[in-house]
Amino acid sequence: MIAGAFFYLFATILVISALVVIVSRNPVHSVLFLILCFFNAAALFVMMGAELLGMLLLIVYVGAVAVLFLFVVMMLDIDVAGLRRGIKQYMIVGGAVGVVVLLELFIVLGGWVISPEAAGNARAPAPADVSNTVALGRILYTQYVYFFQAAGMILLVAMVGAIVLTLQHRKDVKRQNIPDQIARRRDQAAELKDVKPGQGI
Amino acid sequence: MPETTIPSFWPALPELLLALGAMALLMLGAFRKSDAGRGMFGLSIGLLIFVGVFLLFGTGKEVTFGGAFAVDPFIRFMKLLSIIGAVGALVMSVQFFKNENFEGFEYPILIVLAILGMLMMISANGLIALYLGLELQSLSLYVIAAIRRDKERSVEAGLKYFILGALSSGLLLYGSSLIYGFTGSTLFVDIAAVVGKEGSSLGLLFGLAFLLAGISFKISAVPFHMWTPDVYEGAPTPVTAFFAAAPKIAAMALLIRILYTAFPAISQDWQQVLVFISIASMVLGAFAAIGQRNIKRLMAYSSIGHMGFALVGLAAANEQGVRGVIVYLLIYLVMTLGTFAFILSMRRDGAMVENIDDLAGLSKTRPMQALALSLLMFSLAGIPPMAGFIAKFYVFLAAVKAGLFLLAVIGVLASVVGAFYYLRIVKIIYFDKPAEDFEPMPRELATIFGAAGLFVLVFFVYPAPVLKAAQNAAAALF
């Protein structure tokens, strides 16, 4: 009963904030509502018992991707009004596609029954005695440790590649060097001149 | 309940060493302020040679990581060949990047990471491991191709390679998912068991075709070769040498392993695909190279053709064919490294020249270099008694034994057509009016060049050790 109430609470906020993301005029508001979306989706995941997925959603999407979106929105001057200009014409086609997809979903889900044997086919069925974070960790770091580490190496190469191809050490930019500043003494920086009257330096 | 014990890491020790070594070098390069570039070449070469020697002493057959990672004599042999290609390319790079005033310490590290990816894909014993290794390799290669980001050609090469490579990865993944869907496993052993029991189905063949398309892209076999000439021409020359050597061998090893460990039961199905790819590559490699004046583009078409010849052995689908492919790849590696060592020394007035007409009259100005280059060209053309002839002999022999007479005949004809442009280079060297002299050849290039020339000349005298090693390697697959 309470679980049901919470489900409808999170689901309603999720759908509403998703709508606001696309209709809001201010792109910064869109991003903020997107973050609200992620939070509610994470709550739904936790309610389903997939707490690892929920936390991942928060850490990866809210922590990294949404912040990145905010940066992009603030750094690039996107003409949202211009993008929105043709929305009326597109609405008809887009709406039609949406209705078709919805009907298809009804047809598919209407006849869809999870066969009881399907769970047995899983390579690593969920153990009943531990939470799914523990269960995932157990196989991720044992049976699948090779794939896990290989994926890590790929990400490392991607990072190295991005730095190699874009980082520029510009010589004409003066950077602050704090140790140098601290190590500087008065006699290196200032010089006393005995200026005679009426002559200048 | 899946097993939750830590699997044995020992079979993957070479990969671990490379990964840890690459990360240590990366730290070293990032924290040492200046002059990181030069020492990094030495350290990377040392690391690769160490791992290579380590591989040399491995024996037996092992499988670990839940069956996703395998080591056997064939895998070790191919890994060794890839490492030799990378070491050769790195040695050749030192002088080039010094001349070009390029100081990126990341270049040798990216080569080490690419080799790590190659070792992983050669060892892959399942579709996931295959894809991860392939992607690690490809990502490193895209960056290496564009490493001279201040040069338009280099960036163009990197971008072209990246976009087409991403497409081919997509094809490969699509094929993998179909294969998984129709066999119920990503492990080669399980796939082989299912395929052996149930035979081929339409969905499985679709998956296999997509998988073959994705890998054909990596070995630049026709009709997935479009990127090769542009990338070879645009990338810095030592990078081109690396591309022509190591990744081709690794992808070929991967192809052999997939076909012989996962799909041996339906060999008549993939045989016809290989026959087509092989014929198309040989013919295109022979005809398209005729019009090329740029020696790097010429080598690109030459490598397309050579992959076609190597595939002849693979299409034979027997142990003899695989042995032929292994011998072919080894000799191809030596010829490629030797030829690129020479191309890298084609410098005049402090700049690289890449036109084949610049070679005019080399016999008058530098007779020894002219001789060695001619030997390499004769070998590439497959003229007896050079090593290139012996390589072709073994793959065609296997094809004839397997009853693929048409393939063998077309292959020999393509090799005759291809001889034209190799011999034209010899003609330019010996009979054209001498052009200006090149700058003196750096010592390490001269060593590789001379050794390759000598190898192709005297290989026929005592080929037994190579043949025996190839035989042992091929036997591991059957």
Side-chain angles (χ1 to χ4, degrees), chain B residues 10 59 74 117 171 173 184 224 240 253 256 271 276 282 290 320 328 422 426 443 478:
Chain B
W10 292 113
T59 47
F74 172 78
L171 292 180
L173 270 183
F224 308 100
T240 312
I256 295 174
Q271 216 172 357
F276 167 74
M282 290 188 294
I290 291 175
Q320 219 173 7
Y328 201 101
Y422 296 121
V426 176
R443 201 180 303 128
F478 291 88

Side-chain angles (χ1 to χ4, degrees), chain B residues 106-353:
Chain B
E106 293 94 347
Y107 169 72
I109 298 176
L110 281 168
I111 293 224
V112 171
L113 286 168
I115 285 294
L116 171 64
M118 287 173 211
L119 299 198
M120 281 167 57
M121 65 194 231
I122 298 174
S123 260
N125 207 24
L127 295 171
I128 304 177
L130 177 164
Y131 180 71
L132 288 172
L134 195 74
E135 230 16 46
L136 181 59
Q137 180 230 224
S138 310
L139 269 179
S140 314
L141 294 186
Y142 305 146
V143 180
I144 295 172
I147 194 94
R148 294 305 314 268
R149 58 171 195 211
D150 46 344
K151 293 256 168 74
E152 207 177 311
R153 303 298 292 277
S154 175
V155 175
E156 180 195 328
L159 198 62
K160 268 188 186 154
Y161 195 19
F162 174 65
I163 292 173
L164 290 173
L167 183 72
S168 84
S169 289
L171 292 180
L172 190 123
L173 270 183
Y174 185 52
S176 305
S177 68
L178 279 175
I179 292 170
Y180 174 61
F182 278 86
T183 58
S185 176
T186 59
L187 295 180
F188 289 167
V189 193
D190 299 348
I191 293 174
V194 174
V195 172
K197 205 168 63 196
E198 296 173 6
S200 63
S201 61
L202 193 60
L204 187 71
L205 286 184
F206 254 92
L208 187 57
F210 275 107
L211 196 72
L212 287 179
I215 297 173
S216 302
F217 176 89
K218 302 291 174 195
I219 57 172
S220 69
V222 179
F224 308 100
H225 64 287
M226 270 72 161
W227 57 278
T228 322
D230 290 345
V231 171
Y232 275 37
E233 192 190 357
T237 313
V239 174
T240 312
F242 179 63
F243 280 8
K248 293 272 169 84
I249 287 167
M252 206 64 169
L254 179 68
L255 185 60
I256 295 174
R257 272 191 51 75
I258 293 178
L259 293 179
Y260 288 95
T261 56
F263 299 100
I266 50 167
S267 62
Q268 71 284 3
D269 286 319
W270 49 259
Q271 216 172 357
Q272 40 188 323
V273 179
L274 285 189
V275 167
F276 167 74
I277 295 178
S278 167
I279 290 178
S281 305
M282 290 188 294
V283 170
L284 186 117
F287 282 97
I290 291 175
Q292 302 301 326
R293 311 305 290 181
N294 180 306
I295 195 156
K296 279 161 84 180
R297 279 187 93 83
L298 188 109
M299 286 307 286
Y301 283 109
S302 159
S303 91
I304 294 173
H306 280 292
M307 285 301 124
F309 288 116
L311 285 172
V312 170
L314 202 49
N318 53 26
E319 192 173 334
Q320 219 173 7
V322 174
R323 184 189 65 171
V325 179
I326 297 171
V327 174
Y328 201 101
L329 288 178
L330 187 139
I331 291 170
Y332 166 79
L333 176 72
V334 174
M335 295 189 298
T336 306
L337 286 179
T339 312
F340 272 100
F342 178 77
I343 295 174
L344 274 163
S345 74
M346 289 168 63
R347 297 180 64 85
R348 204 172 267 162
D349 306 325
M352 301 285 298
V353 287

